[in-house]
Amino acid sequence: MAKPKSRYVCQACGSVSSRWQGQCGDCSEWNTLVQEGAAVSSIFAAKHNLQGGGRSIALVGLDSPAALPERLPSGIAEFDRAIGGGIVRGSAMLVGGDPGIGKSTLLLQVGAHLASAGHPVVYVSGEESAEQVRLRAVRLGLGQAPVQLAAATSVRDILTTMGEGEPPALLVIDSIQTMHSDLIEGAPGTVSQVRASAQELVRFAKERGSAVVLVGHVTKDGSIAGPRVLEHMVDTVLSFEGERSHQYRILRAMKNRFGGTDEIGVFAMEGAGLSEVPNPSALFLTQRGEAVSGTAVFPALEGSRPVLVEIQALVVRLASGATPRRAAVGWDAGRLAMVLAVLEARCGLSFATAEVYLNVAGGYRLTDPGADLAVAAALVSALSERPVPGDCVVLGEVALSGEVRPVAHAGLRLKEAAKLGFETAWVPAGVKGVEGIALAEFGNLRRLVEQIMGR
Ligand code: TYD
Ligand code: MG
């Protein structure tokens, strides 16, 4: 057999090339190619015809009776809500988030809850010593929970230990980037190590029925563990979000083979760990006193729960001909560019010589497309220095034509706004009224500009 050729794997996108290059040919990142040993199995497979010699597999029809996945409620309602109603036995979950956001704290709390309910839980840390994890648990008031702790980084050692007794209901691996598998060469944290380690842990989950949770660091481009290599291996991908300077944290399912991805879990980071926030609708509103220009309140919907958020815009005129900056925190920058373009092309406003900043208050990340009109209102208000009324919520999706489109579940959103004391709503045409809130209809973005600028 020929000597396996070495290959070069881009640590950012996972693409493989046969020789080293300074820049990855696929994702154009610089200095991301790292030499890794070729996987023997793929060379073997390429040389052999795979027809014949295997075992027959059982084929079943679509209509055969399927059992619902067996779920273990973690006892933390916001966590269960985000994953669709409890931890599925034998499933693999990836929890990603920025360093220091609270992933270890969350999983220690989930583990402690499950363990206290009588389910065996093993928490393996590759980043902290068992003593450090224990001290944290004591600080969280969970010192009595029967969680088994270990500090380890060798996947073989971990799986050997797991194989010795009854497999745990939950195995937490904190974090997958610190793990290494001796089946493959390379330092921990490289794409092939992360992938190989995860593969073995996921196989353990499927074979032994333990739920395995992999904690993953988020890289600078926002993806978990660099490339998306882990996301397709696991059943559920959760992202733990928030600003470290703010108290609130959101657990969001990005992918879920066992449930929807629309519900979020909301937590507050406090002195004694994460506490649940069952009613988050008013969390992301700042203190509302006198109306100030450049802000608008949008009633977002997260799964079945409305969450009102304040959108803030700042428009700074530039004297020189320098290229103005556009930045969005908590909202999609591409969508900001689109709303700006529509305001310019359809409403005759000019942002060309101005820097534009958009911020969603409280570290909240807004993904709801119904926020376009509220963003436009904040921008027009910032540009004209005329406030949107303080008792007003704004909702509507903006089309490239400047038309304002309806938003799903407007009634639910408006009811919550009324409950929180808002008295008026700027909405697309055709929205049904809700008690306690006066509606103003905007069929077109031009109407919004007239309303704010008083033209
Ligand atoms: P941690 O769970 O270690 O984050 P991650 O695993 O995502 O890196 O959380 C670290 C932060 O959480 C730390 O900066 C302090 C804060 N924290 C609290 O505010 N209260 C607490 O009870 C705990 C345990 C942590
Ligand atoms: Mg941690």
Side-chain angles (χ1 to χ4, degrees):
M1 197 169 112
K3 186 168 163 284
K5 280 209 196 85
S6 51
R7 53 188 201 148
Y8 296 85
V9 181
C10 171
Q11 302 299 301
C13 72
S15 90
V16 180
S17 74
S18 55
R19 58 192 177 81
W20 191 83
Q21 291 163 294
Q23 186 180 25
C24 171
D26 278 334
C27 68
S28 307
E29 283 286 322
W30 286 92
N31 297 324
T32 52
L33 263 61
V34 169
Q35 183 175 11
E36 294 181 2
V40 176
S41 57
S42 63
I43 294 167
F44 182 83
K47 289 199 169 175
H48 293 76
N49 183 352
L50 287 183
Q51 220 169 23
R55 272 178 304 168
S56 303
I57 50 175
L59 303 172
V60 291
L62 273 178
D63 57 353
S64 46
L68 279 176
E70 193 186 333
R71 288 181 185 270
L72 278 181
S74 69
I76 299 184
E78 291 295 306
F79 183 81
D80 291 341
R81 175 193 282 273
I83 60 176
I87 298 169
V88 175
R89 266 191 200 283
S91 69
M93 218 185 284
L94 176 66
V95 178
D98 288 334
I101 205 71
K103 302 180 294 297
S104 303
T105 307
L106 175 70
L107 290 166
L108 196 55
Q109 287 184 243
V110 167
H113 258 88
L114 266 187
S116 302
H119 304 289
V121 173
V122 174
Y123 184 104
V124 179
S125 177
E127 298 185 341
E128 294 167 293
S129 67
E131 187 56 18
Q132 277 172 308
V133 180
R134 211 180 58 76
L135 282 177
R136 184 203 297 256
V138 169
R139 244 191 354 260
L140 295 171
L142 303 171
Q144 300 307 311
V147 176
Q148 303 283 311
L149 299 179
T153 55
S154 158
V155 175
R156 185 186 292 277
D157 292 353
I158 295 167
L159 293 184
T160 303
T161 311
M162 293 301 110
E164 282 167 356
E166 187 68 13
L170 178 70
L171 169 64
V172 178
I173 302 290
D174 188 2
S175 66
I176 188 63
Q177 277 98 348
T178 57
M179 296 294 137
H180 72 91
S181 156
D182 50 20
L183 293 182
I184 199 151
E185 282 173 38
T190 56
V191 171
S192 45
Q193 272 296 347
V194 166
R195 183 161 37 196
S197 301
Q199 228 151 26
E200 286 175 58
L201 289 160
V202 171
R203 183 169 338 126
F204 168 77
K206 305 288 156 192
E207 285 176 3
R208 304 298 306 272
S210 295
V212 171
V213 175
L214 309 175
V215 174
H217 293 300
V218 165
T219 56
K220 62 181 188 311
D221 63 348
S223 61
I224 297 169
R228 309 192 84 93
V229 288
L230 287 186
E231 299 185 6
H232 71 256
M233 260 184 229
V234 297
D235 302 303
T236 305
V237 178
L238 297 171
S239 151
F240 204 37
E241 304 166 353
E243 297 261 322
R244 259 163 56 182
S245 52
H246 289 84
Q247 193 186 11
Y248 298 109
R249 303 281 184 271
I250 287 175
L251 186 68
R252 194 188 290 276
M254 321 292 280
K255 158 182 170 177
N256 192 355
R257 283 188 187 143
F258 304 112
T261 54
D262 50 350
E263 293 283 358
I264 58 169
V266 184
F267 299 89
M269 179 62 92
E270 287 165 356
L274 292 157
S275 64
E276 299 183 59
V277 181
N279 186 3
S281 66
L283 281 190
F284 299 96
L285 287 179
T286 49
Q287 285 297 327
R288 309 208 42 88
E290 194 121 315
V292 287
S293 63
T295 70
V297 175
F298 169 62
L301 200 63
E302 289 290 354
S304 55
R305 292 184 297 186
V307 178
L308 276 77
V309 288
E310 183 180 295
I311 295 171
Q312 307 165 343
L314 184 65
V315 174
V316 186
R317 287 259 167 243
L318 286 184
S320 70
T323 314
R325 266 178 66 96
R326 263 93 226 261
V329 177
W331 209 51
D332 181 35
R335 201 121 190 130
L336 170 63
M338 189 206 85
V339 172
L340 284 171
V342 176
L343 283 170
E344 297 206 331
R346 308 289 178 195
C347 309
L349 300 182
S350 172
F351 293 90
T353 58
E355 299 205 312
V356 177
Y357 299 93
L358 192 83
N359 180 42
V360 180
Y364 188 81
R365 196 167 63 83
L366 201 51
T367 49
D368 193 329
D372 293 350
L373 194 68
V375 167
L379 290 169
V380 173
S381 163
L383 184 76
S384 62
E385 296 184 19
R386 284 162 176 269
V388 173
D391 68 348
C392 178
V393 292
V394 186
L395 67 155
E397 191 175 332
V398 171
L400 288 180
S401 62
E403 190 193 346
V404 179
R405 296 265 169 79
V407 166
H409 304 292
L412 195 62
R413 300 166 192 255
L414 293 177
K415 259 193 214 129
E416 192 67 24
K419 213 163 89 189
L420 293 173
F422 288 87
E423 289 170 0
T424 54
W426 294 356
V427 297
V431 169
K432 272 235 278 302
V434 162
E435 203 182 302
I437 211 155
L439 302 186
E441 290 192 353
F442 295 81
N444 195 291
L445 205 48
R446 267 193 304 275
R447 270 272 298 118
L448 179 89
V449 174
E450 288 162 11
Q451 170 82 36
I452 296 173
M453 298 179 78
R455 295 203 292 228

